[in-house]
Amino acid sequence: MDTSTLKTPHRKQLILKKTGSCPTPSHKVGPLSFLPVTPTSNFKLPGCNESAPPAKRPGRSLTKGAVRRRKTCQYDDVDSARTDRSISVALASSKKYRGHRVPDQVKNVTVVETRHIDEHTLRKTIGHVHSNDFDEKYGKRKFTEVRTFEKITTQLPINKRPKRTDGSEYRDNTSTLCSKLLHTLFVITAISIMFMCCVRLCVAILRWKTQLCNMALYLDTGKLNASLHSRVFGQHIALGSVVFTLASYMSDPHDAKPLVLSFHGWTGSGKNHVSGIVAEFLDSAYVHKFIVPLHFPHEIDNEIYKSQVQEWVKSNISSCEINMFIFDEMDKAFDGVIEGLKMLLENLNQSLQSNTKVLIVLLSNTKGHEINSYMYHALRTGRHRESISHEELLPVLVSNSLVGSIWYEDLYNSGLIHRLVPFLPLEKNHVMSCINDDLVSRGIHPEARFVERVVEQMYFFPDHNPVFSKTGCKRVSSKIDISM
């Protein structure tokens, strides 16, 4: 049997045997071995003809490619693993084969290692280790451990690594540094790409939200103008003022203040009708109406109303929407409501965002008599109704009154009301147009005789020259029900 023995560190003996040799250890395999162990003394290595391979026991697996048939071995030191990951620690740590792969003719490698253990460890391993030897130098019993490995013959040999002048191995760190640098560049590039993707995604989401907001803030003033002129009669000043003011307010994306319109006129002149048509062009979920005698009925609760009117309006303002608030019969509002409304408008002028539109419409009969009187004298002088402009009636709405004598004067002088809109009294021909429109909405063809009969039930003033309707078109629908 051809055997060559090499001395290795830690009192290891390396026995290289060619294919076909069959070493037989004189001691049992120890429990610390990672290879299959057997308590019997007739231990045979794989490939031996004398006996079958021993039974396998669980153990750690060697690095892939090191042992093909028996994966129960593991390197005992780092140096052997770095030198050659396909052979055992015994072969890699030997001087003869250090830095090389084992030649193909050397198949089986057996390591016989002698270790020293104390009595306590020996008791724990009794039954697995059989040793009668006693080392006088260490004062401990010793046992022999046999490890068997197989060389894979399909791999090609590698060159011997260069060494320094002191005899130690030279390790080239250039490739390691380059690989780390490439890895770092790859990580930085990946992070940069991910960051740019996130930024572009955020920008796309913001643009999408901006487009949705712009769509929600869009008001088709052209269709609104056409609808108002086809359904409202005798109010050329009011319709022109409302459409022009709304178009200017909605076209300015940087206007972050609420738009306040104050409608003034006689009963039945169309104030509620116009505000209702404007509300039809908005989302009904963002249109809110307050009737002063209903929501703020008691004067003793002025302080409560002052805070309530602010809280109700602020809590119902939604961003990226056109919010409309209608206050009807403001001429009957108490001081607490007016003061709360003023504080609300001053606060909204500072805190409202540009992507939110707020429209506040105040309805009242205030200055209705003055408007009727001005119109009556203008018509008596031979002027046409359509020739009267908003600039002519504006002094009627703001003059000849002491400060605080009318409810809106303080709001108007403070610049909180943007436009005072006068509604003219309706004449007989306007009432007839309202009757025709109501009949058409019911699907009834209007007849002149029936329309005249309904008009005869309406009341006009003044008595000496009945020109204007006392109730305008407010009671047209009920009069039609009676006449049918």
Side-chain angles (χ1 to χ4, degrees):
M1 180 169 55
D2 185 9
T3 304
S4 60
T5 305
L6 296 176
K7 293 183 180 180
T8 57
H10 307 292
R11 298 178 303 282
K12 293 183 180 178
Q13 292 180 343
L14 177 64
I15 303 175
L16 301 179
K17 299 191 177 184
K18 295 182 179 180
T19 305
S21 61
C22 187
T24 303
S26 59
H27 299 283
K28 298 178 182 179
V29 180
L32 302 180
S33 175
F34 296 106
L35 290 177
V37 297
T38 175
T40 59
S41 59
N42 58 347
F43 173 75
K44 301 299 182 180
L45 292 176
C48 297
N49 299 324
E50 288 81 354
S51 63
K56 294 184 179 181
R57 290 186 58 187
R60 296 185 182 177
S61 298
L62 191 61
T63 306
K64 291 183 179 180
V67 175
R68 177 173 297 173
R69 291 179 55 193
R70 303 172 65 87
K71 295 183 179 180
T72 55
C73 301
Q74 186 178 5
Y75 295 123
D76 288 344
D77 52 54
V78 179
D79 180 64
S80 62
R82 289 178 177 173
T83 305
D84 191 354
R85 292 183 178 274
S86 64
I87 59 178
S88 66
V89 60
L91 184 62
S93 61
S94 65
K95 295 180 179 179
K96 182 178 180 180
Y97 296 105
R98 187 176 182 85
H100 292 275
R101 297 189 185 278
V102 185
D104 292 343
Q105 64 271 17
V106 181
K107 282 296 188 81
N108 296 332
V109 179
T110 303
V111 179
V112 181
E113 181 179 0
T114 302
R115 297 187 182 182
H116 300 80
I117 58 176
D118 52 17
E119 295 291 338
H120 177 68
T121 308
L122 183 61
R123 288 193 213 94
K124 296 170 67 175
T125 58
I126 196 68
H128 299 279
V129 178
H130 180 72
S131 175
N132 295 323
D133 301 329
F134 186 81
D135 195 331
E136 296 179 357
K137 180 180 179 180
Y138 294 95
K140 299 180 181 180
R141 294 186 183 276
K142 57 184 180 180
F143 68 94
T144 302
E145 183 180 29
V146 180
R147 303 185 184 184
T148 303
F149 307 91
E150 284 194 4
K151 170 70 173 60
I152 298 176
T153 59
T154 57
Q155 298 181 355
L156 298 176
I158 58 175
N159 295 329
K160 188 174 182 179
R161 292 186 178 181
K163 294 186 178 181
R164 295 190 179 96
T165 56
D166 56 356
S168 61
E169 288 188 1
Y170 173 78
R171 302 184 183 276
D172 188 8
N173 296 327
T174 305
S175 59
T176 305
L177 181 62
C178 292
S179 62
K180 289 183 178 180
L181 181 61
L182 291 175
H183 177 72
T184 304
L185 292 177
F186 175 78
V187 172
I188 294 175
T189 305
I191 293 175
S192 302
I193 293 174
M194 292 178 63
F195 177 75
M196 293 301 298
C197 291
C198 292
V199 170
R200 296 192 65 178
L201 180 61
C202 293
V203 171
I205 292 175
L206 290 176
R207 288 180 179 176
W208 176 68
K209 287 187 175 181
T210 303
Q211 291 178 357
L212 291 180
C213 190
N214 293 335
M215 292 175 60
L217 295 177
Y218 175 73
L219 178 63
D220 194 342
T221 54
K223 289 186 178 180
L224 175 62
N225 185 39
S227 179
L228 288 172
H229 281 84
S230 63
R231 298 166 62 182
V232 181
F233 309 101
Q235 302 296 345
H236 65 284
I237 297 177
L239 300 186
S241 299
V242 170
V243 173
F244 173 77
T245 308
L246 280 176
S248 301
Y249 177 66
M250 298 305 301
S251 62
D252 188 1
H254 304 292
D255 193 348
K257 296 182 179 180
L259 176 63
V260 184
L261 301 177
S262 183
F263 292 176
H264 303 270
W266 192 252
T267 301
S269 56
K271 300 184 295 295
N272 268 292
H273 190 40
V274 171
S275 61
I277 294 175
V278 174
E280 291 177 3
F281 281 79
L282 308 178
D283 192 339
S284 60
Y286 307 103
V287 177
H288 311 276
K289 186 172 184 178
F290 301 95
I291 301 175
V292 171
L294 177 64
H295 294 90
F296 312 101
H298 306 296
E299 187 176 4
I300 59 174
D301 296 331
N302 267 336
E303 294 299 323
I304 299 177
Y305 297 154
K306 185 187 300 185
S307 59
Q308 277 185 348
V309 68
Q310 300 179 62
E311 181 181 351
W312 288 352
V313 173
K314 287 181 179 179
S315 60
N316 286 287
I317 293 178
S318 302
S319 60
C320 285
E321 294 292 344
I322 303 176
N323 305 270
M324 184 176 184
F325 299 90
I326 303 172
F327 290 84
D328 194 9
E329 301 187 42
M330 282 295 298
D331 52 309
K332 300 177 183 178
F334 300 114
D335 294 339
V337 179
I338 305 300
E339 292 177 8
L341 190 60
K342 181 181 178 181
M343 296 173 62
L344 169 68
L345 295 176
E346 290 174 348
N347 183 267
L348 291 179
N349 285 339
Q350 302 295 329
S351 60
L352 198 64
Q353 298 180 357
S354 59
N355 64 344
T356 303
K357 299 296 183 180
V358 177
L359 172 61
I360 299 178
V361 180
L362 310 176
L363 311 179
S364 70
N365 295 334
T366 308
K367 293 291 182 176
H369 287 285
E370 289 80 353
I371 295 173
N372 293 345
S373 178
Y374 185 90
M375 281 295 301
Y376 181 76
H377 288 90
L379 293 178
R380 285 191 64 182
T381 58
R383 294 186 60 184
H384 294 287
R385 183 185 183 95
E386 286 73 16
S387 65
I388 300 175
S389 63
H390 179 269
E391 289 73 15
E392 288 184 59
L393 287 174
L394 186 59
V396 177
L397 299 175
V398 299
S399 63
N400 299 327
S401 60
L402 299 176
V403 176
S405 60
I406 51 179
W407 63 268
Y408 62 86
E409 188 161 356
D410 191 18
L411 297 175
Y412 183 75
N413 292 334
S414 301
L416 300 176
I417 295 179
H418 294 81
R419 200 170 187 88
L420 300 175
V421 182
F423 279 73
L424 308 179
L426 299 183
E427 302 176 28
K428 183 178 180 179
N429 60 325
H430 302 133
V431 176
M432 294 178 66
S433 299
C434 291
I435 296 172
N436 291 331
D437 185 68
D438 190 275
L439 291 174
V440 171
S441 64
R442 300 185 185 202
I444 302 175
H445 178 71
E447 297 180 358
R449 186 177 300 178
F450 180 80
V451 173
E452 288 288 343
R453 192 177 4 171
V454 175
V455 171
E456 291 175 359
Q457 301 178 26
M458 310 293 291
Y459 296 94
F460 295 86
F461 71 95
D463 295 336
H464 59 278
N465 186 17
V467 179
F468 305 126
S469 173
K470 286 187 177 182
T471 57
C473 291
K474 194 170 186 178
R475 298 185 179 180
V476 165
S477 183
S478 60
K479 295 297 182 180
I480 292 176
D481 294 336
I482 297 173
S483 302
M484 290 183 66

